[in-house]
Amino acid sequence: MTEKRQFRAIKGTRDILPPDSALWNWFERTAREVFETYGFGDIRLPIFEETDLFARSIGSDTDVVGKEMYTFLDPPRDLDPLPRPPEPTRPLSDLIPREVISLRPEATASVVRAYIEHGMHTLPGNVKLYYVGPMFRRERPQKGRYRQFYQVGAEVLGQSDAPAIDAEVLEMLLVLFRRVGLTNIKLYVNSIGCKECRPKYVELLRSGLQRVKDKLGADSQRRIETNPLRVLDSKLPEEQAIIETLPRISDHLCGDCLAHFAKLKDELKLRGIEYEENWRLVRGLDYYTRTTFEVTAAGLGSQNAVCGGGRYDGLVELLGGQPTKGIGFAIGTDRAMLSIQEGSAPKLPGLGVFVAWMGAKAYPAAVAIARKLRECGVAVELPPEEMKFKKSLGLADKLGARYALIIGEDEVASGTYTLKRLSDGDQRKLSENDLLEYLESERRS
Ligand code: AMP
């Protein structure tokens, strides 16, 4: 006989249970509503893509692609029962790209792939898309950091890189955050230049870093060669003073990038959006150009970035499309929820009516009224088996119902219902019509 064993969710993944899941749904629903008022449409994307899509767009030297992707071969080689990741020593390019697949670590690359694949550049105006769903990164799990986490993101693709687009995207984001009650919101913005000025700055930064190499930790030392911008992301306390002495991108932007950034700041002011400039905000992914931004919120400890994003004007072309401008962001839903739950989460309507029926004659009436109430949108619990009256009311209370609808033989005989409000015991006898009207008026109040 096989030994009994209990299963647990895999490290870094978790279940989101009711009632929390209702709050998550409310958050995602609110995001959809807000984004749709800005003209964005939902795009549903695959959960896995060719690894090469992520390697080319996010960058092979980034932590996300280099260390954190869940990658497998499809079909698995040698009929292995479990697919194995490609050997780390073999470059991915040695393998047939279409057979090396990764769970998506983010969705911008997929959106751009879909934009090109479906010829969306022929659509009128800017193409505005949003997505909602899980992402996968093999990170060290901690509060606010998971291996399966959720993002709500939006992207604008088209021919214009007007800073007004960047500002409107940020406005939309902040409208959402305000609507869901996130507190202590801080928006940080930066410009990391374009393909003209950024490489020159990166070289300058690299030589600046070479001069202080001995004082840096192993990770930063390695990044001097692979990705010097990432050194600016360092959170190591002993590196902070050194980083402050390094050349800043804002002093090395080309004229066009400087003008773009200045206009963005004007556009933010026009919209009454408060922001702080942060020259070290380079973001971890290679595809960003010019505008980068991050939003932090209350209650998140060290993982306090609730949203990150920026411009990626070269990405469509890099992935084989026409020259196209792009900007987008991704909100970390797990973190947004943590922040909302630490603050004052809204009280969502739960169970409305618990039908406390007793006696075989009451049962058909209970079934009928439960169905009618549900048709009117009321959440109803109908016990499948007869329960003693006291037990019924006890359970109604434990389930958090607002009302108990009492149906006994008396009620059936008189064709009425007794509705008891559980918060204060208020009790009234009502006909079916009056009951429906009463619940409707209570719902509106
Ligand atoms: P990124 O795609 O890295 O720009 O991240 C965008 C946002 O997603 C971050 O600001 C976080 O809120 C969230 N996020 C990124 N990685 C994780 C993770 N491992 N767990 C939870 N949230 C994450």
Side-chain angles (χ1 to χ4, degrees):
M1 216 176 75
T2 41
E3 204 187 317
K4 262 197 193 171
R5 60 167 291 217
Q6 274 199 345
F7 293 93
R8 299 182 70 94
I10 286 170
K11 187 177 170 189
T13 74
R14 64 211 176 113
D15 306 304
I16 295 155
L17 309 174
D20 289 355
S21 52
L23 209 59
W24 279 63
N25 290 345
W26 161 81
F27 176 81
E28 291 174 349
R29 202 163 52 238
T30 310
R32 288 174 191 278
E33 279 167 20
V34 171
F35 295 175
E36 284 169 20
T37 63
Y38 281 81
F40 285 70
D42 189 8
I43 179 164
R44 294 184 178 229
L45 299 158
I47 298 283
F48 51 87
E49 301 260 9
E50 279 183 44
T51 301
D52 202 30
L53 173 69
F54 302 119
R56 281 177 196 237
S57 54
I58 300 169
S60 317
D61 289 333
T62 57
D63 285 352
V64 171
V65 169
K67 297 197 256 185
E68 297 170 358
M69 287 205 298
Y70 286 92
T71 296
F72 53 98
L73 298 178
D74 184 23
R77 298 287 188 276
D78 309 317
L79 292 177
D80 264 0
L82 290 175
R84 281 193 242 147
E87 293 162 33
T89 47
R90 267 177 82 191
L92 289 171
S93 50
D94 278 8
L95 295 153
I96 303 164
R98 275 178 214 296
E99 296 185 334
V100 188
I101 283 171
S102 295
L103 298 186
R104 63 183 188 187
E106 57 105 56
T108 302
S110 301
V111 172
V112 170
R113 195 254 321 124
Y115 177 86
I116 300 167
E117 186 172 338
H118 302 289
M120 293 170 96
H121 62 282
T122 59
L123 295 174
N126 285 321
V127 174
K128 302 187 201 176
L129 300 164
Y130 73 83
Y131 58 83
V132 176
M135 309 293 156
F136 306 85
R137 295 182 196 171
R138 193 187 278 107
E139 294 198 82
R140 198 165 49 78
Q142 55 179 278
K143 181 184 170 193
R145 191 193 274 171
Y146 310 95
R147 292 181 168 181
Q148 174 171 339
F149 60 100
Y150 295 80
Q151 287 186 338
V152 171
E155 317 284 351
V156 183
L157 292 144
Q159 287 314 306
S160 169
D161 62 357
I165 301 175
D166 311 31
E168 196 180 68
V169 160
L170 287 166
E171 178 189 294
M172 175 171 91
L173 189 60
L174 296 172
V175 164
L176 169 63
F177 284 171
R178 213 165 301 128
R179 186 147 349 148
V180 295
L182 278 178
T183 54
N184 214 355
I185 294 291
K186 286 211 176 74
L187 166 66
Y188 298 93
V189 296
N190 191 23
S191 173
I192 58 166
C194 62
K195 62 176 190 290
E196 300 304 320
C197 54
R198 184 151 64 138
K200 291 182 205 148
Y201 168 70
V202 169
E203 274 324 304
L204 212 76
L205 181 63
R206 188 173 272 135
S207 33
L209 286 165
Q210 290 291 4
R211 283 195 287 276
V212 293
K213 185 171 178 180
D214 297 346
K215 298 186 200 144
L216 298 171
D219 275 348
S220 293
Q221 289 196 1
R222 193 171 29 81
R223 287 180 175 140
I224 296 177
E225 287 317 315
T226 58
N227 200 342
L229 282 174
R230 286 300 311 282
V231 177
L232 305 182
D233 262 351
S234 159
K235 303 277 187 303
L236 286 183
E238 57 276 24
E239 291 185 345
Q240 301 310 305
I242 305 164
I243 291 173
E244 285 304 309
T245 67
L246 294 168
R248 301 182 175 210
I249 181 101
S250 45
D251 299 328
H252 301 279
L253 292 176
C254 64
D256 285 351
C257 286
L258 259 182
H260 191 275
F261 195 31
K263 187 84 194 345
L264 167 64
K265 290 183 270 186
D266 286 347
E267 286 276 351
L268 291 176
K269 282 181 201 129
L270 175 75
R271 290 166 162 79
I273 296 173
E274 284 179 29
Y275 64 88
E276 223 174 90
E277 276 182 61
N278 177 1
W279 71 278
R280 288 175 55 181
L281 187 67
V282 291
R283 316 260 315 121
L285 321 180
D286 272 5
Y287 53 58
Y288 287 114
T289 53
R290 289 192 172 161
T291 313
T292 54
F293 54 87
E294 208 161 83
V295 180
T296 59
L300 293 173
S302 63
Q303 304 298 319
N304 66 349
V306 76
C307 171
R311 213 162 240 298
Y312 46 85
D313 292 338
L315 185 56
V316 176
E317 220 176 335
L318 183 75
L319 293 178
Q322 314 276 336
T324 306
K325 314 285 196 243
I327 182 164
F329 63 76
I331 300 167
T333 311
D334 305 77
R335 293 190 195 172
M337 294 317 301
L338 273 172
S339 185
I340 290 168
Q341 284 167 320
E342 297 263 320
S344 50
K347 188 108 189 60
L348 298 177
L351 183 58
V353 171
F354 185 97
V355 182
W357 62 274
M358 264 191 74
K361 286 206 183 116
Y363 184 60
V367 170
I369 194 69
R371 175 132 132 217
K372 272 197 190 129
L373 290 173
R374 286 168 174 154
E375 274 168 13
C376 298
V378 181
V380 175
E381 182 67 18
L382 175 69
E385 286 169 307
E386 187 166 5
M387 291 166 79
K388 289 253 162 34
F389 189 58
K390 227 176 134 191
K391 216 174 150 197
S392 243
L393 289 189
L395 181 58
D397 210 35
K398 281 189 200 141
L399 292 177
R402 283 189 77 185
Y403 300 98
L405 185 68
I406 298 160
I407 315 178
E409 301 203 349
D410 284 356
E411 279 80 8
V412 175
S414 64
T416 57
Y417 301 90
T418 302
L419 187 71
K420 184 180 165 100
R421 189 159 57 207
L422 294 171
S423 57
D424 59 3
D426 174 81
Q427 196 162 306
R428 54 190 72 205
K429 266 196 174 332
L430 299 164
S431 69
E432 183 179 310
N433 268 349
D434 290 348
L435 171 68
L436 294 175
E437 250 170 47
Y438 178 78
L439 288 176
E440 183 57 37
S441 71
E442 281 280 281
R443 196 160 57 161
R444 277 201 300 265
S445 67

